[in-house]
Amino acid sequence: MESRYEPEGVESKWQMRWQADGLFKVKEDISRDKYYLLEMFPYPSGKIHMGHVRNYTIGDVVARYKRMQGKNVIHPMGWDAFGLPAENAAIEHGIHPAKWTYDNISAMKRQLKRMGFSYDWDRELATCDPSYYRWEQLFFLEMYERGLAYKKRTHVNWCDKCQTVLANEQVEDGRCWRHSDQEVTIKEMDSWFLRITRYADEMLEFCERLPGWPERVLTMQKNWIGKSYGALIRFPMVEPDEVIEVFTTRQDTVFGATFLCLAPEHPLVTKLIKGLPEEREVLAFVDRTLKMDRFMRTSDFTEKEGIFSGSYCLNPMTRDKIPIYIANFVLFDYGTGAIMAVPTHDQRDFEFARKYGLPLRVVIQPEGQVLDVDNMTEAYVGEGVLVNSGPFDGKRNTEAMEEIADYLKSEVLGEKTVNYRLRDWGISRQRYWGAPIPIVYCDKCGTVPVPKDKLPVVLPLDLQVRPNGGSPLPFEPSFCMTYCPRCGGPARRETDTMDTFVESSWYFDRYACPDYDKGPLDPEKVSYWMPVDQYIGGIEHAILHLLYSRFFTRVLSDLGYLKVREPFTNLLTQGMVCKEIESCPIHGYLYPHEAREGTCSRCGSKVVVGASLKMSKSKKNVVDPQDLIDRYGADTVRMFCLFASPPERDLEWNDKGVEGSFRFLHRLWRLVWDSRDKLAGTFPCEKDGSEYLPALHRKTHQTIKKVTEDIENRFHFNTAIAAVMELVNEINRVLEDKDSLRAGEWLVIREAVAMAVILLSPVVPHICDELWETLGNDGCLLSVPWPSVDEAALKEEKRVVVLQVNGKVRSRIEVPASLGEEEIKELALADPRLRQFIADKTVKKTVVVQKKLVNVVV
RNA sequence: GCGAGAGUGGCGGAAUUGGUAGACGCGCUGGACUUAGGAUCCAGUGGCCUAAAGCUGUGGGGGUUCGAGUCCCCCCUCUCGCACCA
C-alpha cells in the first residue's frame, strides 16, 4: 500500500486478482439459495454512457451484497447485438455491421471490466451469434406450428428513417421510438406476427401477482393491454345484404343508436360507395384521413369529421333505418373498426350528431330530471332508468346491461364479448442486421417452414448494406434462392428479419446455459436459476421489453422449455441520468467546449441554459464516464452515481459532486494509512474493548444496521453511504487524540474501521479490498460474510431528551436511558431553561414520548 | 381531461411508524499550512438581526393534533403515464 491513494494501480491490481481467482464464476448448487441478479443488457453502441454506469453499479452493489449474505449469486452480462445503428454505421463509415458490432462489444467489455463489475463473463452472449439466434428460429417454428406465429397482410407502422416496419409498442406519439423527429406512416403490407393477444388475459391477471414491480409499470402494462367488457352487436344492412358488427361497452344504450360510423380503412367502405354519386367525394375524404398520421388523427385537437356513405342499416332493436357514416375518429384496429353512435349518451357522438344534423333519441333518464332531445347541450353519460327501450323500459341501465346482452344473444343479434387494446406483435423487419425468419416460399407448396434440423438459417455476413439503408437480403441470390423443403422445387427465402426485441425476450433464460447445444435451454440449469430475482433497468422499457419478455416466458413455458410463468420477480426501474444543456439559438445544443463564457463559440450568440436532457438519448454534451474513470478511478465513479440520489429518481449530473466522493475515499485511505500499525490485525478482533469508547462502538453497530436496512429494504445506497461517512467522521474525531489512546480503545477503533471497509465494499470494491489487506487480512471482501448487528452494542446508557413548550424546542437534557416516564418528566420540569419558558403560566398538560421528548403545554 | 408521483437551503438530497427539519455531500465564507494553490486540514454556513437572545422557516391557504415536511380538505406548479378505445 502506498501512502497516497492512486486508484488506477489499486483497481488494476484487484481486478487481476479477482479474475485470477475466478471470483465471479458461479455454478448451480442446490444446497444453497440462488439469487439471480440481472441488469438490462446493453446495445453495443460503441462506449458506455452514464446511464449504463448507473444501472450496472446499482446491480453490482446488490450482487456483491447478496454474495456476502451467502447467496449463490448469478450475475451475467451480454450484448443486445442486432439492430439498426450497426447498419447506419455501415452506411456512414463503410464498416460491416458485424465488425462494427463486435468491435464495440470488445471496447465496451473493456470498459465494464474497468468498472470492476462482478460479472461471470463465462456466461457472456451476443444475440447476433448464430449459436444464440438459432434457438430463436426454433421457437419461431414451434410457435408457427401452434398458430402463435402467423403472417397477415395488414396496416402497419412504417418509419422512413429506419426503412422498416415498427411494432405498435415502438411508436411513441405517432413517431418512431428511435427517431423522435420521424413521423410514422401507415403502410399496407405482409408481416409476421406473434400472437401476444392470446396471453393478454393472463398477463393482465398476473399484474396483480407482481408485488415486486413498481406500481406505475404495472399500470402502464394494464393500460396497454386495455381490457374492456362489452358486447358485439350485428347491424343488418338494408342493401346490399351485409351485416356490420360493432363493439360497444354500452349495450344498454343500443336503443339510442341513431347512426353508425365506420373507420375509413373498413373493407365495407369501398363496397358501399361503389357506383354511388358520392363515390368521388367519399373517396377523397377517406384518402385525406388515411394520409394523416395516426397521432394527428387521434389527437384531441383534431376536428371530428365524417361523411355519409350513402347507405343505411337497421338498428337491430328498434328496426329503425339509420345512416352509415365514415368517420375519422373511428380506429380500424380497435374493436371491429365500426361503432354504433348514441349521441344522447356519448359526448363525442353528441357533437358529431349536432355537426351533421343527425337524429337523437334519449334512452336513459337520470333521476329527478327529464332529458329532452331539443334542449340537450351535452350527452348524458351517467346512470338512470331506461326509456324508449322496448321491453327494458323502467329498468336501471346498469342492471339491464347483462339482460340486453343475453337478449342480443337469444335473438342472434350479438353476444357478450371482451375486447383488448393490445394488438399482436408485428416482428417483421425489412432490415439486414437481424435474425432471419426461418420460412421458405414455394410456388407449389406456399409458405413452408424451414425444417428444424436445417437450422440455423444463417445471416450471410459477406453482404453490404444498401446505400439507402435497405436490406441487401432480397437481392442476394445465394441467400434468397433455395429449394422447397417439402417438394424440392425452387423456392424463395423469407428476407425479413426479426424485431430485435425478440432476442431480448429470452436472453435471461439463456444465461443459465449459454453454451448448451442440445436445445435452447438446459432444463436443469434453467429451472435452478429462473426466475430472475431482481431485474434492474430503465423505465423506458416499462412496456416494450418487459411486456414482450412476459409474453415470451409464457410461450416458452407452454412449449415446455421453462417452468416459470413470470420472468422477473422484482423490478427496479432506475431514473435517467440527465444534464442541463447549454444551447445556442442558431446551433442548437452545444458540447461543453462550444460554449465559452455564456456565448456560443461559433457565432457568439448568447447561450441559454435550460433543457435537461437524458444522457442516454442525446449525443451532445454527455459526460463520458471514461474521462471520469481516467481521472478519479472506477470506485469514485461508482460511489458518486449511487450517492447523488436514490436509484429510482432521475439524476441531474453535477461534475463537482464527483470530487466529493473522491475526497472521501482519499480520507478513508489516509485514515487507514496513518494508523496502519495500530489498526492491523486479523478480524474479527477479540471482544474485550466493549467498555472502551462506547459511543464509537454504538455508532459502528448503528451503521451496520442502517446500511443493511437501506440496501435490503429499499436500495437507498445514498443514505447507506452517508451513514458510513458519518462513521468515518466519528472515527476521525476519536483519532484526534491518537497518542493518548489505550490498547482497548484501539480495538474498538479497529472494529469501526474494519466495518466501514466491509460495509462500503459492495460500492467501492477495489479500495476496500486494498484497505482490507492493509488491515492485515487475507483474501477479498466478497468472501467475507456480511456483518451482523450486535444488539447489545446498540443499547445506550444516556439519551438526549428534547424539551418542548407548546411544541417548540426550548431545551435539551441528557438523561440515563433507564429512567421511566415519570422521572424524565420530573427532570424536565426541573430544567432551568424550560422553567424560564413556562414562567408563571399554568401547565395544562405534559406529554412524554419515551426516551425522546417532553412537551409541556401551557 | 383522467390517473400516478413530486414540490424541503445556493445545489444533489436526508428526515423509513406524526416527535430535535436540513443527516451526508457539493458550493460558499473565514482561518491554518504554504513560494503558490483549483492540494490538504480546521471552523462556520436556511432566513431575519452586528451578535446574543429571539423570531421565522419544508409550493400557497385552511384543518386535525400536545406536536405536522409527514395525516385531511382546497388551490398552484412540475414530471410521468393514459387520453376520441366505442
Side-chain angles (χ1 to χ4, degrees):
Chain A
M1 186 189 189
E2 307 286 330
S3 63
R4 244 186 91 78
Y5 171 45
E6 305 277 7
E8 212 179 316
V10 174
E11 288 171 4
S12 64
K13 167 182 165 183
W14 288 99
Q15 281 163 14
M16 275 156 63
R17 178 86 58 92
W18 297 336
Q19 183 158 2
D21 293 355
L23 204 60
F24 309 137
K25 292 191 201 303
V26 63
K27 275 213 290 274
E28 301 72 33
D29 176 357
I30 45 162
S31 68
R32 289 170 69 199
D33 272 356
K34 67 95 185 181
Y35 189 86
Y36 189 165
L37 188 118
L38 184 67
E39 301 122 43
M40 289 180 186
F41 67 165
Y43 177 79
S45 54
K47 53 185 184 178
I48 58 172
H49 56 66
M50 279 318 297
H52 292 129
V53 170
R54 190 179 190 203
N55 190 170
Y56 302 152
T57 303
I58 293 166
D60 201 48
V61 174
V62 179
R64 286 173 181 268
Y65 167 77
K66 292 286 177 187
R67 265 288 288 272
M68 293 171 81
Q69 289 261 352
K71 296 273 204 277
N72 192 25
V73 176
I74 184 173
H75 188 207
M77 181 44 76
W79 310 96
D80 188 11
F82 272 137
L84 267 180
E87 289 183 56
N88 295 337
I91 297 161
E92 275 174 49
H93 305 115
I95 311 166
H96 191 275
K99 179 171 169 40
W100 186 83
T101 302
Y102 280 106
D103 284 352
N104 288 348
I105 286 176
S106 68
M108 288 172 76
K109 186 173 175 181
R110 208 176 317 121
Q111 287 188 299
L112 294 182
K113 286 194 162 184
R114 179 69 190 80
M115 285 298 295
F117 295 136
S118 61
Y119 298 123
D120 180 354
W121 284 107
D122 288 355
R123 294 174 186 272
E124 178 183 7
L125 57 82
T127 56
C128 62
D129 191 319
S131 71
Y132 181 81
Y133 67 71
R134 64 178 292 195
W135 303 118
E136 197 168 301
Q137 292 175 334
L138 177 72
F139 296 148
F140 180 89
L141 294 176
E142 296 192 356
M143 289 168 83
Y144 181 72
E145 286 165 13
R146 285 162 178 76
L148 284 168
Y150 63 92
K151 194 176 194 185
K152 169 171 94 169
R153 184 164 188 85
T154 185
H155 298 270
V156 291
N157 311 294
W158 176 268
C159 172
D160 240 15
K161 282 210 173 141
C162 295
Q163 283 286 308
T164 188
V165 169
L166 302 174
N168 291 343
E169 289 80 7
Q170 291 152 19
V171 180
E172 295 170 357
D173 293 347
R175 289 153 202 276
C176 170
W177 70 297
R178 282 191 183 283
H179 303 102
S180 51
D181 54 342
Q182 181 63 52
E183 282 174 1
V184 167
T185 52
I186 304 294
K187 274 198 178 184
E188 196 181 332
M189 36 194 308
D190 286 316
S191 258
W192 284 95
F193 288 87
L194 299 186
R195 211 178 289 279
I196 190 171
T197 50
R198 186 175 286 181
Y199 295 92
D201 223 17
E202 192 197 333
M203 291 197 289
L204 188 70
E205 205 181 296
F206 271 66
C207 284
E208 310 303 329
R209 301 195 219 166
L210 288 169
W213 281 43
E215 196 53 49
R216 71 176 177 136
V217 174
L218 293 174
T219 307
M220 283 163 75
Q221 295 220 345
K222 284 186 233 170
N223 286 341
W224 189 263
I225 296 170
K227 182 178 187 175
S228 48
Y229 298 88
L232 213 59
I233 306 180
R234 284 181 279 273
F235 284 65
M237 284 193 60
V238 180
E239 203 192 327
D241 188 18
E242 290 273 359
V243 169
I244 301 176
E245 279 198 328
V246 306
F247 170 71
T248 179
T249 54
R250 290 297 305 273
Q251 65 268 24
D252 55 320
T253 63
V254 62
F255 285 84
T258 50
F259 60 102
L260 205 131
C261 291
L262 299 178
E265 300 94 329
H266 200 288
L268 258 184
V269 171
T270 40
K271 251 193 200 171
L272 294 187
I273 58 170
K274 200 156 196 139
L276 290 183
E278 304 94 326
E279 182 173 0
R280 230 162 212 277
E281 212 186 323
V282 175
L283 277 180
F285 172 79
V286 168
D287 208 41
R288 186 152 45 87
T289 311
L290 293 185
K291 272 203 181 118
M292 269 178 133
D293 74 85
R294 192 194 162 91
F295 178 61
M296 275 302 291
R297 196 176 133 194
T298 58
S299 140
D300 228 358
F301 306 106
T302 305
E303 179 92 8
K304 288 156 195 59
E305 281 186 298
I307 192 163
F308 180 48
S309 70
S311 300
Y312 294 85
C313 64
L314 296 181
N315 180 316
M317 299 301 243
T318 63
R319 308 302 290 178
D320 286 344
K321 195 171 144 190
I322 62 173
I324 301 169
Y325 269 70
I326 297 149
N328 63 350
F329 61 84
V330 180
L331 304 172
F332 183 56
D333 59 5
Y334 184 80
T336 60
I339 62 160
M340 66 175 205
V342 184
T344 42
H345 304 295
D346 179 283
Q347 186 56 26
R348 186 193 51 204
D349 296 346
F350 181 87
E351 285 164 25
F352 195 86
R354 283 282 193 249
K355 181 169 176 174
Y356 294 100
L358 293 160
L360 280 71
R361 177 185 166 109
V362 172
V363 292
I364 297 173
Q365 285 294 0
E367 223 137 325
Q369 200 184 330
V370 179
L371 293 177
D372 177 4
V373 165
D374 298 325
N375 302 333
M376 283 177 86
T377 53
E378 58 176 10
Y380 175 74
V381 294
E383 294 179 13
V385 175
L386 291 180
V387 294
N388 297 324
S389 298
F392 303 100
D393 279 355
K395 296 196 160 133
R396 288 202 63 82
N397 70 316
T398 43
E399 285 154 15
M401 205 68 115
E402 202 80 351
E403 285 177 51
I404 291 179
D406 291 342
Y407 178 81
L408 286 166
K409 174 132 185 134
S410 67
E411 299 293 312
V412 207
L413 296 169
E415 59 252 10
K416 252 195 277 184
T417 185
V418 170
N419 193 60
Y420 296 92
R421 208 184 83 114
L422 182 72
R423 302 285 93 197
D424 279 338
W425 175 14
I427 57 152
S428 288
R429 296 292 177 272
Q430 294 67 43
R431 300 298 312 199
Y432 166 51
W433 195 233
I437 295 173
I439 288 288
V440 164
Y441 301 105
C442 167
D443 285 342
K444 260 195 245 160
C445 312
T447 303
V448 182
V450 173
K452 291 177 190 168
D453 58 8
K454 293 282 190 309
L455 293 181
V457 176
V458 176
L459 183 72
L461 293 181
D462 50 359
L463 307 185
Q464 292 294 314
V465 177
R466 297 171 71 79
N468 65 350
S471 168
L473 292 176
F475 305 93
E476 178 52 41
S478 67
F479 179 76
C480 51
M481 310 268 278
T482 184
Y483 296 97
C484 172
R486 207 163 278 164
C487 72
R492 196 169 32 82
R493 250 183 226 293
E494 169 67 65
T495 53
D496 281 355
T497 53
M498 287 192 240
D499 182 2
T500 58
F501 279 99
V502 178
E503 280 93 65
S504 55
S505 293
W506 70 286
Y507 74 105
F508 38 87
D509 300 314
R510 183 71 183 172
Y511 278 142
C513 49
D515 300 320
Y516 190 63
D517 60 3
K518 295 182 187 64
L521 299 169
D522 180 333
E524 259 177 53
K525 291 184 173 173
V526 84
S527 73
Y528 177 78
W529 292 114
M530 282 301 285
V532 172
D533 293 278
Q534 181 67 57
Y535 199 26
I536 307 173
I539 185 75
E540 65 271 21
H541 287 291
I543 294 173
L544 286 162
H545 161 58
L546 291 170
L547 190 73
Y548 294 147
S549 297
R550 295 184 66 207
F551 160 61
F552 234 78
T553 301
R554 287 170 165 79
V555 171
L556 297 195
S557 163
D558 287 346
L559 293 176
Y561 293 113
L562 274 181
K563 287 188 180 141
V564 296
R565 296 302 279 184
E566 285 290 346
F568 315 123
T569 308
N570 294 291
L571 173 69
L572 175 66
T573 46
Q574 117 250 8
M576 310 262 185
V577 182
C578 303
K579 166 115 178 132
E580 270 199 347
I581 297 224
E582 292 172 303
S583 71
C584 159
I586 293 158
H587 294 104
Y589 293 119
L590 302 173
Y591 285 103
H593 69 266
E594 291 173 333
R596 291 211 192 93
E597 289 156 16
T599 55
C600 172
S601 64
R602 273 192 275 174
C603 64
S605 310
K606 201 170 151 57
V607 158
V608 186
V609 182
S612 183
L613 291 196
K614 295 157 191 169
M615 281 200 194
S616 54
K617 284 226 169 165
S618 66
K619 287 203 171 88
K620 290 223 163 188
N621 215 337
V622 288
V623 176
D624 186 348
Q626 193 59 50
D627 294 344
L628 295 170
I629 298 168
D630 292 345
R631 196 174 327 160
Y632 300 106
D635 279 338
T636 297
V637 177
R638 292 170 62 114
M639 179 165 166
F640 179 67
C641 356
L642 298 174
F643 183 59
S645 83
E648 64 287 358
R649 208 180 297 194
D650 283 351
L651 170 55
E652 186 67 43
W653 188 262
N654 175 340
D655 295 319
K656 284 287 167 52
V658 192
E659 303 229 5
S661 296
F662 184 66
R663 275 204 289 266
F664 170 76
L665 293 180
H666 218 106
R667 262 204 315 279
L668 182 65
W669 182 276
R670 243 195 355 263
L671 161 65
V672 173
W673 172 259
D674 288 348
S675 307
R676 60 194 181 285
D677 304 334
K678 298 277 193 187
L679 293 173
T682 48
F683 191 82
C685 35
E686 308 85 70
K687 283 268 163 147
D688 141 51
S690 55
E691 74 256 39
Y692 301 105
L693 299 175
L696 180 60
H697 188 58
R698 193 182 321 119
K699 184 81 184 170
T700 302
H701 285 269
Q702 280 169 347
T703 308
I704 298 171
K705 190 169 187 219
K706 170 83 177 149
V707 172
T708 309
E709 286 172 356
D710 279 349
I711 298 179
E712 187 73 44
N713 303 342
R714 44 177 213 167
F715 298 133
H716 277 204
F717 311 106
N718 55 331
T719 48
I721 293 169
V724 180
M725 285 175 164
E726 279 186 65
L727 176 63
V728 170
N729 291 346
E730 180 78 22
I731 298 169
N732 274 323
R733 257 192 296 280
V734 171
L735 286 175
E736 273 170 29
D737 326 291
K738 202 165 148 182
D739 300 334
S740 59
L741 289 168
R742 292 165 293 168
E745 291 172 331
W746 275 111
L747 278 180
V748 176
I749 296 168
R750 209 166 92 186
E751 184 197 38
V753 173
M755 284 305 162
V757 170
I758 295 173
L759 294 176
L760 274 180
S761 68
V763 176
V764 284
H766 311 87
I767 187 176
C768 288
D769 270 357
E770 179 71 18
L771 296 176
W772 188 241
E773 190 181 65
T774 306
L775 289 172
N777 304 282
D778 285 330
C780 304
L781 280 163
L782 203 54
S783 335
V784 169
W786 190 255
S788 49
V789 180
D790 176 5
E791 293 291 336
L794 295 176
K795 290 224 170 70
E796 294 174 281
E797 268 143 45
K798 287 185 170 177
R799 284 217 67 141
V800 173
V801 173
V802 171
L803 305 185
Q804 298 180 328
V805 177
N806 290 345
K808 282 182 183 158
V809 181
R810 295 303 183 183
S811 183
R812 291 181 173 84
I813 51 170
E814 203 177 60
V815 302
S818 56
L819 285 195
E821 244 179 63
E822 276 305 310
E823 294 156 297
I824 290 177
K825 191 166 152 186
E826 266 174 50
L827 277 175
L829 289 169
D831 181 68
R833 282 172 51 83
L834 198 71
R835 292 194 68 84
Q836 200 184 313
F837 277 94
I838 299 169
D840 52 349
K841 297 173 203 105
T842 1
V843 176
K844 273 198 222 155
K845 191 175 176 185
T846 309
V847 182
V848 180
V849 179
Q850 195 58 38
K851 289 174 197 166
K852 247 185 189 167
L853 162 150
V854 177
N855 188 14
V856 181
V857 188
V858 297

